[in-house]
Amino acid sequence: MNTLDIVILAAGQGSRMKSSLPKVLHTIGGKPMLQHVIDAAAELNNSQTHVVTGHGAEQVETALAGQPVKFALQAEQLGTGHAVAQAMPEVSSDSVVLVLYGDVPLTRTETMAELVAIAERGQFGLLTVNLEDPTGYGRIVRSDVGDVVAIVEHKDANPEQLAITEVNTGILSVPAALLQEWIPQLSSNNAQGEYYLTDIIAMAAEQGVSIKAIQPATEQEVQGVNNRLQQAELERWYQRQQAERLMVEGVSLADPARLDIRGEVSVGHDVQIDVNVILEGQVTIGDNVIIESNCIIRDSVIGSGSHIKANSLLEEAQLAEQCDVGPYARLRPGSQLAVKAKVGNFVETKKALIGEGSKVNHLTYIGDAEIGTGVNVGAGTITCNYDGVNKSKTVIGDGAFIGSNSSLVAPVNVGAGATVGAGSTISKDVADDQLAVTRAKQANINNWQRPTKKDPQKG
Ligand code: UD1
Ligand code: CA
């Protein structure tokens, strides 16, 4: 049995986003806003999350497929009270209801927990905030002794109420039994013709239910996103928080405003990150790592002491300690570098194991390959892993030397200690310590005359 039902409102159209994507699926830090809310709420114990969908319901359900949330469809958007009502059949009367907004992405779990604790005591928990410009928001009306007695929507407020700067964030918690009693009493007799959830405040006050208003730690925690400008502003604030966390954990950032984190990043000490770096997905960075400017690192592990030089792109790559990558390297999924491996400029790797101390330094493609330790792969080497239908593997033994501009036609093995002469096309296995050369013998021709320029008159 749940003791907490979390109702996330996500049915609104978000027309000011001017987007075919439902508003709640627009992202902050690479994650849909609604997912931020779900993830923060998931930290609360014994809870069931209900998402109220409406506009773009199918897209929202698809985006959340497989997650332990229930959906309640609000076919017509008749107001926040009507939205919460759609989830009520799934809510049991002995639980507590926490109402959250799918377009208010950064509400912290701690704030939610505080509200829940209030409702667990049988009281009404309300999250309010003081805004310099309260335009558009519901105003918190208090009695002479300071008790909250009502919320009046901007469009329904009188001049005196409009002057109130304490506003409703929309986020609240209440014992389910009270909500079940109040929701049927809501009417749409107001300026917007909507069923306002906020009308339950006055019902609570009338009934003598104690209303406890708390405030968030920052305004951004309750900031809703209605257009792309607000989205960008919140994104910048969120990124600043991420950058501050990394700095506190021992990372030097050349410019905290020029790092973007779109995922979960764990870092060691004495990491240096230059400007315009993007870290996406799950990224783990060891101690003493240097990341130069303009790198994108996605779902990768970077071992301690590694150096990622400028303009490199790493995706699902695993680097052991003291690796060197770039500048201008592209490590695609399944690239694994052992200790002290080097992948240099204009090198692309994919599903490639590069052994300890091995070097692939220039203008090379290594795909579907296993390279042993201490191997040198010369400039312009290509593993020809694809015949147009199938992918095949190249295996290079320890200590081998691949001369520049070689093609290794997979499936093929080059033995340990073997040498491939520059410019060779290797399509047969080379045994340990052999030299393989496939290029034509060089012919030096004496008395060679260069062509002379034709006389244009003669045509
Ligand atoms: C609401 C509050 C207001 C508060 C403001 C904070 C009411 C009546 N008013 O106002 O006091 O200051 O939020 O932003 O509650 N939604 C639905 N179905 C609906 C209507 C809304 O799911 O039928 C969702 C929206 O998608 C949105 C949230 O509820 O996520 C708030 O709706 P919105 O229209 O923005 O509320 P406001 O009228 O701005
Ligand atoms: Ca709003």
Side-chain angles (χ1 to χ4, degrees):
M1 188 206 63
N2 310 310
T3 53
L4 172 61
D5 284 284
I6 297 156
V7 179
I8 305 176
L9 305 191
Q13 183 167 20
S15 52
R16 279 175 285 165
M17 293 300 280
K18 309 245 162 92
S19 175
S20 57
L21 189 69
K23 176 164 75 170
V24 294
L25 297 183
H26 283 263
T27 61
I28 294 290
K31 177 155 94 175
M33 294 195 285
L34 177 55
Q35 192 69 57
H36 277 277
V37 181
I38 291 172
D39 290 351
E43 306 274 312
L44 301 167
N45 294 329
N46 301 323
S47 65
Q48 172 62 54
T49 296
H50 309 261
V51 177
V52 180
T53 59
H55 282 280
E58 241 173 72
Q59 283 181 76
V60 173
E61 288 194 28
T62 304
L64 299 182
Q67 297 189 34
V69 300
K70 288 186 178 170
F71 296 99
L73 183 69
Q74 186 192 24
E76 251 188 303
Q77 281 66 61
L78 303 179
T80 49
H82 180 257
V84 171
Q86 308 313 304
M88 290 312 282
E90 295 284 337
V91 171
S92 66
S93 52
D94 50 3
S95 85
V96 154
V97 174
L98 172 67
V99 176
L100 301 170
Y101 282 12
D103 58 358
V104 180
L106 301 183
T107 313
R108 292 176 317 138
T109 307
E110 292 83 346
T111 305
M112 298 178 188
E114 238 186 290
L115 287 169
V116 169
I118 294 167
E120 279 171 350
R121 296 196 298 264
Q123 302 174 333
F124 198 129
L126 192 61
L127 189 60
T128 72
V129 65
N130 278 288
L131 295 182
E132 238 169 79
D133 177 13
T135 306
Y137 291 93
R139 305 300 205 278
I140 305 296
V141 182
R142 288 176 182 267
S143 69
D144 295 343
V145 293
D147 292 339
V148 175
V149 292
I151 294 178
V152 178
E153 292 305 298
H154 183 101
K155 286 181 180 159
D156 300 289
N158 62 36
E160 195 187 328
Q161 291 163 336
L162 285 175
I164 299 171
T165 55
E166 186 185 7
V167 304
N168 176 30
T169 64
I171 294 165
L172 54 82
S173 68
V174 65
L178 292 175
L179 201 54
Q180 283 167 342
E181 188 185 320
W182 295 332
I183 282 192
Q185 297 176 44
L186 294 177
S187 91
S188 56
N189 185 17
N190 52 50
Q192 299 183 77
E194 286 182 3
Y195 294 93
Y196 291 165
L197 181 63
T198 44
D199 285 351
I200 65 174
I201 302 288
M203 298 178 194
E206 242 163 69
Q207 241 169 279
V209 175
S210 158
I211 301 164
K212 205 161 179 310
I214 63 164
Q215 280 73 42
T218 62
E219 237 176 69
Q220 285 78 12
E221 241 199 278
V222 296
Q223 178 66 56
V225 170
N226 294 308
N227 56 41
R228 294 181 201 246
L229 194 77
Q230 289 174 334
Q231 182 190 12
E233 281 168 3
L234 206 53
E235 174 77 31
R236 282 307 102 208
W237 184 83
Y238 176 80
Q239 290 301 342
R240 176 73 201 190
Q241 301 297 107
Q242 304 294 302
E244 283 177 14
R245 178 179 69 80
L246 290 201
M247 291 187 286
V248 167
E249 287 178 17
V251 177
S252 289
L253 299 178
D255 181 357
R258 282 185 287 171
L259 166 70
D260 272 26
I261 295 180
R262 301 171 191 157
E264 269 141 51
V265 176
S266 78
V267 286
H269 293 167
D270 297 309
V271 173
Q272 294 176 48
I273 302 181
D274 212 327
V275 299
N276 297 334
V277 167
I278 301 176
L279 304 175
E280 286 187 0
Q282 302 280 334
V283 175
T284 303
I285 300 172
D287 294 335
N288 299 300
V289 166
I290 298 174
I291 301 173
E292 294 184 8
S293 57
N294 305 319
C295 288
I296 301 175
I297 300 173
R298 193 175 289 147
D299 294 315
S300 295
V301 177
I302 317 263
S304 295
S306 292
H307 188 161
I308 314 298
K309 292 173 186 159
N311 300 296
S312 295
L313 168 59
L314 281 67
E315 278 177 286
E316 294 174 43
Q318 308 259 341
L319 277 57
E321 294 76 41
Q322 299 176 64
C323 290
D324 247 41
V325 169
Y328 298 97
R330 181 179 182 205
L331 273 53
R332 292 169 52 202
S335 297
Q336 288 189 43
L337 277 56
V339 177
K340 291 187 180 169
K342 285 191 175 184
V343 171
N345 40 223
F346 306 107
V347 172
E348 175 181 347
T349 63
K350 185 215 76 173
K351 278 197 192 152
L353 300 178
I354 307 210
E356 184 170 339
S358 290
K359 296 175 188 167
V360 188
N361 274 339
H362 326 271
L363 300 147
T364 287
Y365 174 62
I366 301 292
D368 301 302
E370 262 179 57
I371 296 182
T373 62
V375 170
N376 191 91
V377 176
T381 297
I382 305 288
T383 52
C384 308
N385 61 327
Y386 186 51
D387 59 10
V389 183
N390 298 301
K391 297 267 168 72
S392 305
K393 197 163 172 181
T394 301
V395 178
I396 302 176
D398 296 345
F401 180 95
I402 311 297
S404 297
N405 199 34
S406 293
S407 304
L408 306 172
V409 183
V412 72
N413 299 306
V414 176
T419 302
V420 169
S424 294
T425 297
I426 303 297
S427 50
K428 286 189 286 198
D429 288 357
V430 182
D432 292 358
D433 302 313
Q434 280 185 325
L435 166 68
V437 207
T438 68
R439 58 182 187 252
K441 271 217 166 79
Q442 182 169 333
N444 290 356
I445 292 155
N446 290 320
N447 302 320
W448 163 250
Q449 291 283 318
R450 286 194 185 168
T452 49
K453 202 163 193 182
K454 283 186 187 160
D455 185 344
Q457 299 310 93
K458 289 185 179 167

